């Protein structure tokens, strides 16, 4: 399992000449950044929408990380018995 976490960067964080104080940064448990999620948070929330890091971007990052971690824990099996049990839950 590759669980993701959200770390808040410093209040002096700056990217491409734009100050992004306390920007939430998504990384795995080994400290590797999640490039796609961070790009989305940066380009959509920070640059396009000009959202506030603490009020808007941080909750968005936490929601994305929570969903990712839940999906990462989902068990999928090719076993016919497991598939039949899963069908009864969804159908």
């Amino acid at each position: 399992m590759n669980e993701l976490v959200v770390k808040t960067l410093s209040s002096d964080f700056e990217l491409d000449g734009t100050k992004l104080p306390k920007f939430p940064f998504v990384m795995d448990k080994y400290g590797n950044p999640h490039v796609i999620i961070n790009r989305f948070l940066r380009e959509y929330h920070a640059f396009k929408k000009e959202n506030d890091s603490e009020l808007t971007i941080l909750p968005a990052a936490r929601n994305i990380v929570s969903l990712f971690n839940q999906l990462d824990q989902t068990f999928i099996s090719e076993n016919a018995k497991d598939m039949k049990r899963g069908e009864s839950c969804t159908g």
Side-chain angles (χ1 to χ4, degrees):
M1 183 168 98
N2 191 18
E3 185 176 345
L4 296 181
V5 295
V6 178
K7 298 286 185 182
T8 302
L9 300 178
S10 79
S11 56
D12 298 325
F13 180 67
E14 189 174 313
L15 181 66
D16 298 333
T18 303
K19 284 200 173 263
L20 298 172
K22 298 184 180 178
F23 189 79
F25 195 70
V26 177
M27 61 186 73
D28 66 16
K29 61 185 175 184
Y30 304 108
N32 300 311
H34 195 288
V35 176
I36 296 169
I37 294 173
N38 288 322
R39 183 180 299 141
F40 169 74
L41 292 172
R42 183 182 67 240
E43 292 178 5
Y44 178 76
H45 281 285
F47 293 154
K48 183 175 180 183
K49 295 288 186 178
E50 297 180 357
N51 289 332
D52 179 87
S53 291
E54 289 183 283
L55 296 177
T56 309
I57 304 172
L58 182 58
R62 287 182 175 153
N63 285 334
I64 292 168
V65 165
S66 175
L67 287 170
F68 180 92
N69 290 338
Q70 288 176 44
L71 288 170
D72 192 46
Q73 294 176 14
T74 302
F75 176 74
I76 298 174
S77 174
E78 296 297 322
N79 184 320
K81 182 179 175 184
D82 289 337
M83 289 177 69
K84 187 133 184 125
R85 183 176 44 185
E87 289 173 348
S88 65
C89 293
T90 60

